[in-house]
Amino acid sequence: GAGVSQSPSNKVTEKGKDVELRCDPISGHTALYWYRQSLGQGLEFLIYFQGNSAPDKSGLPSDRFSAERTGGSVSTLTIQRTQQEDSAVYLCASSFPGLAQPQHFGDGTRLSIL
Amino acid sequence: AQSVTQLDSQVPVFEEAPVELRCNYSSSVSVYLFWYVQYPNQGLQLLLKYLSGSTLVESINGFEAEFNKSQTSFHLRKPSVHISDTAEYFCAVSDGAGGTSYGKLTFGQGTILTVHP
């Protein structure tokens, strides 16, 4: 079956532009996570969605970051007015709900801010 | 807050030699522990997990990890490595800190395993 799909795989943009990253989770997985992987900070949690519940946005680094999940499936992570420190790999993961459920990761979007 | 420490950032080893990648986590009431592997330009793949029960867990490709509650450790081992095991390995913990009921993962900094012929 299909795994977690992320697009684009690479994105290069100029400082100050807005970017939108997309994640298509595994069918049937109601839990969806976004993480950021950067050289200086390692892997950091950004945001969590579960079904129709309010998302946990506690990991978003600033108000330039936002995310939504439409219809309980596809999610988009939007970064407004990008800065050079936003350069990183953005990973999406999905799972069945619960603490003990292993997460399945996409291949990520490598974002480079010039 | 939960923290995960991987004590070695890089581990070079020769093919067919044994290897141990170390992972320690901060104490919590109960934790779920995971090892993920990342190959270049790919996402993370689950290698193995400890949820409950037997403290020794094994993966299908020869890796094993042992949960040690008293030492708050979850070290990853393989008795004989292959060139194809070259990758970065991440230890991760899910513990429901702050009353969360979902699997928000806290990751270690990663260990790059390089297997030389």
Side-chain angles (χ1 to χ4, degrees):
Chain A
V4 176
S5 177
Q6 291 189 246
S7 61
S9 54
N10 286 282
K11 178 72 175 178
V12 180
T13 193
E14 294 178 345
K15 177 182 171 180
K17 300 287 188 183
D18 297 351
V19 296
E20 192 172 276
L21 313 180
R22 175 188 168 103
C23 172
D24 199 345
I26 291 172
S27 178
H29 282 184
T30 57
L32 187 146
Y33 304 79
W34 283 95
Y35 295 89
R36 180 169 70 174
Q37 185 175 23
S38 58
L39 283 176
Q41 301 299 321
L43 275 153
E44 306 170 280
F45 165 80
L46 296 177
I47 189 169
Y48 162 76
F49 294 92
Q50 168 52 40
N52 295 320
S53 302
D56 179 348
K57 305 179 182 180
S58 61
L60 294 179
S62 78
D63 59 7
R64 295 186 295 104
F65 287 72
S66 63
E68 63 178 20
R69 189 179 185 190
T70 54
S73 180
V74 172
S75 176
T76 54
L77 176 70
T78 301
I79 309 173
Q80 295 179 309
R81 304 180 303 282
T82 52
Q83 303 295 313
Q84 287 189 331
E85 61 262 29
D86 300 333
S87 295
V89 176
Y90 290 81
L91 292 166
C92 177
S94 70
S95 74
F96 294 110
L99 277 171
Q101 295 298 329
Q103 295 173 30
H104 300 261
F105 285 80
D107 286 341
T109 293
R110 183 175 298 276
L111 178 62
S112 300
I113 309 299
L114 302 178
Chain B
Q2 178 67 257
S3 67
V4 180
T5 302
Q6 291 183 241
L7 295 163
D8 305 296
S9 58
Q10 297 190 53
V11 173
V13 65
F14 287 108
E15 193 173 19
E16 297 184 5
V19 70
E20 178 180 78
L21 308 184
R22 296 178 291 171
C23 173
N24 288 87
Y25 62 93
S26 58
S27 168
S28 181
V29 175
S30 62
V31 293
Y32 302 99
L33 297 156
F34 305 86
W35 276 100
Y36 283 87
V37 59
Q38 186 177 35
Y39 298 99
N41 299 314
Q42 294 186 22
L44 280 70
Q45 300 175 28
L46 180 68
L47 191 59
L48 45 73
K49 61 189 178 187
Y50 171 76
L51 305 180
S52 64
S54 172
T55 58
L56 184 67
V57 290
E58 299 178 352
S59 72
I60 59 174
N61 57 355
F63 282 94
E64 63 180 30
E66 185 162 17
F67 170 58
N68 187 319
K69 187 174 182 178
S70 64
Q71 297 187 5
T72 61
S73 69
F74 190 54
H75 300 332
L76 181 69
R77 302 183 182 97
K78 188 171 186 180
S80 177
V81 294
H82 301 288
I83 297 287
S84 59
D85 293 324
T86 294
E88 189 162 14
Y89 293 78
F90 292 92
C91 181
V93 171
S94 164
D95 67 351
T100 58
S101 60
Y102 64 90
K104 170 183 167 181
L105 293 173
T106 301
F107 288 91
Q109 290 297 311
T111 298
I112 297 173
L113 173 65
T114 304
V115 181
H116 298 284

